[in-house]
Structure formats: C-alpha cells, structure tokens
Amino acid sequence: MRNRYLDLLRALAIVRVVVYHVTGWASLTLLFPAMSVMFALAGSLMAASLLRSGPTAVGRRLRRLLPSLWLVAAVFVPAMLLTGLPFTPAVLLWLFPVADPPANYWGALALSPIWYLRDYLWFVLASPVALWLFRRFPLPTLLAPYCLLLVIEVGIYPEPPVVLREFGLYFGAWLLGFAHQRGMLRRLSAWILLPTALALAALGGAWILTHQGPRGYDLNDIPLGNALWSAAFILVALGRAPAAAAWVDRSALFGRAVTVLNRRALTVYLWHMAFVVALTPLVDVVGWSHQDLLGLAIRVVLVFLLVGLVTAIVGWVEDVAARRPPELIPGGRRPASRPTPEAVERRAEPVPAQRGRDGEVIAR
C-alpha cells in the first residue's frame, strides 16, 4: 500500500514551491524546506529501486524524469531560439541536462526550476555508488556532503564547481532518504532523534541569523543554514512518519488533490514558473505589490488555474513515462487488477514493522 503521509508531504511541498515563487515570502522556506524534503523522498525511492532492481533502476528513473522535460523543451526552446538564443551544441543539454542548459533573458526566468532536474539527474547517476558506500559506512557517507558544504562555506574551498556545491547542499537530504528507506530513522529512539534534530536546528538557525542573504532569511541564499535546518526538519518529518495516514482520504476531494499533485508533480514544477513570470506585469498594471494580500491571493489562484489547465493538457506524459494508462485527472477509480512492475515500484517504501514502498518525488 502507498504511504499517504509521504504523498501528503510531497503534495504540500509542491504547493509551497508555487506559493513561494508567487509571493517571494522568505518565511516559507523556513516553515517548510520543500526542496530538501523532496530530495529526501526521492532518495528513499531511489534506494528502494536500487535494492530491488540493481543498476537498471537508474534507467527507470531517467525514463520517468526526462519526457516531461523534453515536452517543455519542445515548446520553449524554439521560442527562445526565435527571440535571441544562439543555436549552439549546448542547446542539446535540454535533452539531458547534466549541466545548465542555455536560455535567453526571459527563458532563464521562466525555466529557472530546471536546476532541480539537473541536480536530480546527478544524484540518480551517483546513487548506485552512494548506496554501496552508505550500506557499508552509513554515518561517514551521510556526513560527507555536510562536511563538503562546511568546507565551502567557511572559505577553505571558496570557488567550487557548481556540481560540488549542489552535492554539498542537497545530497545530504538524498542520503537521509536512504536512511529512511532502510528504516534507520524510525529505529532511532526519541532520546537520540529529537536532541539531534534540535541541535541541527539550533546550529542552522544560528548560521541563518548571522549570515543573511540578499533576501533576508531566505534559505535559498544561505546554503549551510539551509542544509542544517532542512536536515533537522527531515529527521522529524521522516523519522517519526506514521506507517499510514488513512485520514488523508477521508475527504474524497482532498485525497484526490493529493493524488493529482503526486502524479503530476513534475508537470506542475516545470510549468508553474512560466506562469508566475507571465503574470508579473500585472503588478505594474493593477498595483499588486507583495504587501497587497488580496492581490497576492489572486495571483496565486491564477497561477494554480493556469498550471491546472496545462497539467490537464500535457500531464498524461507522466503517465506514459511511468507506463501507466494515461489519465486526464489522476486518481479515478479503476477495476482491481494485478499490479505491474511499474506500479510496484511506486509503492510506499519499507519500514521495519511493515514493508511497503514509497512513491516518487520533484521542487524550490
């Protein structure tokens, strides 16, 4: 059975990402460090897939990740080429973004969430080796990304390549997902888990308070504070995750919304920023500043409506990539049937007392 608590975490993260990009409220990054949570959930799924299928799991992850990106590229890359983007071999990175694919002035804003797919791709490719190391040396492997980030942030390694900085920032969350999948977080007693989480939160909070970024206390501008604060959040959110959350489906509408956001997480993530950018001129036209709560609420609703429309039109690509029957709105009742290998892969991940499988992840 799917763990609906994990589905709920993912759905909340997607909503938080969209609202944050519309409002720019830095406090949202502190209340819910969505990207790290999503990387942790993705790491949990990746570990489960590798343990079940071996290195072939890498190909399955890529197959589910890339088609939605290719669809976005098919729409936006020609538009960028017609509006000033030079046609160079680097454009091919839109097919397999192991580095940042090129974009023109407006595309760089509308397609800025692509960084997540770049990092996700790196982490998937690194996971077979990382899982081998984690199973043999769990604590040193888990601490390595945080030590790398510390070395970078205190100036010992001041100008690292982007790939090392991103591994330092987010791969620790991915490895916490490994620990979750192995049941290690759940087995930690409250006397260990909670003080550890409090210590990480205190260290992260102190760093955040003393290292404000250009947007104040926005975690996206404070890498070390982000990593430590997020690790504390993940330890509690996943370390004390319930084995099930049937209450999520007590309301049919709420349960369906959680399902839709999970099945269409990648589509929502890839497309929402384009609508945020497109609606930005409304600020000048009607005077909706970030202090105008009504204006912000209207913008949030408009972005979700537009994202809902495009999701209904192209979201089926995620079904095809996952080898599911395409659906206009996911979550409808279907006749009982024998689960396919792909369906088994998406089940809730295992916990010590009850072995299940966790679903898939995407979001800043």
Side-chain angles (χ1 to χ4, degrees):
M1 294 177 61
R2 292 185 64 91
N3 188 325
R4 294 294 276 169
Y5 171 77
L6 301 181
D7 286 348
L8 178 62
L9 277 183
R10 185 175 301 107
L12 290 175
I14 292 296
V15 171
R16 202 285 278 163
V17 167
V18 177
V19 174
Y20 166 76
H21 280 145
V22 175
T23 64
W25 289 342
S27 58
L28 292 175
T29 66
L30 290 163
L31 291 173
F32 195 103
M35 287 311 307
S36 293
V37 170
M38 297 303 288
F39 278 124
L41 292 172
S44 179
L45 172 64
M46 190 68 211
S49 298
L50 284 169
L51 291 172
R52 181 173 55 253
S53 306
T56 59
V58 172
R60 290 198 183 100
R61 290 295 97 203
L62 297 182
R63 190 197 70 226
R64 298 183 69 167
L65 180 72
L66 293 174
S68 293
L69 171 65
W70 294 339
L71 179 62
V72 169
V75 173
F76 285 97
V77 171
M80 290 191 293
L81 291 172
L82 291 173
T83 55
L85 178 67
F87 184 74
T88 66
V91 171
L92 295 177
L93 286 171
W94 284 101
L95 298 177
F96 199 76
V98 289
D100 291 325
N104 65 357
Y105 61 98
W106 62 265
L109 292 173
L111 301 173
S112 56
I114 296 299
W115 72 268
Y116 173 78
L117 274 75
R118 178 202 66 200
D119 284 15
Y120 195 106
L121 179 61
W122 288 342
F123 297 169
V124 166
L125 294 175
S127 284
V129 173
L131 183 60
W132 185 88
L133 289 171
F134 184 82
R135 295 181 70 186
R136 287 156 181 80
F137 316 103
L139 188 58
T141 303
L142 178 59
L143 293 178
Y146 297 99
C147 292
L148 171 62
L149 186 60
L150 178 63
V151 167
I152 292 171
E153 290 300 303
V154 300
I156 298 174
Y157 188 12
E159 297 183 4
V162 173
V163 60
L164 288 184
R165 180 177 291 277
E166 294 298 294
F167 264 84
L169 176 54
Y170 288 119
F171 199 59
W174 189 274
L175 293 176
L176 283 173
F178 284 9
H180 173 243
Q181 189 278 332
R182 300 292 293 168
M184 296 168 63
L185 300 185
R186 177 174 287 274
R187 288 195 295 270
L188 287 176
S189 71
W191 295 105
I192 296 176
L193 186 143
L194 294 180
T196 301
L198 286 173
L200 288 170
L203 290 171
W207 187 270
I208 292 164
L209 289 172
T210 55
H211 294 78
Q212 285 190 59
R215 293 174 289 187
Y217 298 119
D218 190 315
L219 289 189
N220 293 313
D221 302 326
I222 313 171
L224 184 58
N226 186 353
L228 295 174
W229 185 268
S230 298
F233 189 98
I234 292 166
L235 281 177
V236 175
L238 296 186
R240 288 298 173 262
W247 56 267
V248 171
D249 294 308
R250 288 176 187 167
S251 166
L253 181 61
F254 182 73
R256 187 73 176 273
V258 170
T259 298
V260 170
L261 285 167
N262 274 265
R263 296 278 187 88
R264 297 293 182 260
L266 193 53
T267 302
V268 172
Y269 185 80
L270 287 174
W271 286 87
H272 81 276
M273 194 62 186
F275 297 120
V276 173
V277 171
L279 290 175
T280 296
L282 287 176
V283 174
D284 297 325
V285 173
V286 299
W288 290 342
S289 72
H290 282 66
Q291 286 71 44
D292 181 357
L293 293 180
L294 177 60
L296 283 176
I298 294 172
R299 288 171 63 195
V300 169
V301 170
L302 287 175
V303 168
F304 272 108
L305 287 175
L306 291 170
V307 169
L309 178 61
V310 77
T311 299
I313 296 172
V314 303
W316 55 268
V317 171
E318 292 196 63
D319 291 329
V320 173
R323 296 183 178 175
R324 295 189 299 257
E327 295 181 89
L328 182 65
I329 302 177
R333 293 186 178 276
R334 291 181 171 276
S337 60
R338 184 176 181 178
T340 65
E342 291 301 320
V344 172
E345 180 180 344
R346 296 176 49 257
R347 288 181 178 175
E349 48 74 59
V351 296
Q354 174 179 328
R355 307 295 285 186
R357 295 285 177 199
D358 140 280
E360 184 184 67
V361 189
I362 271 219
R364 230 178 228 178

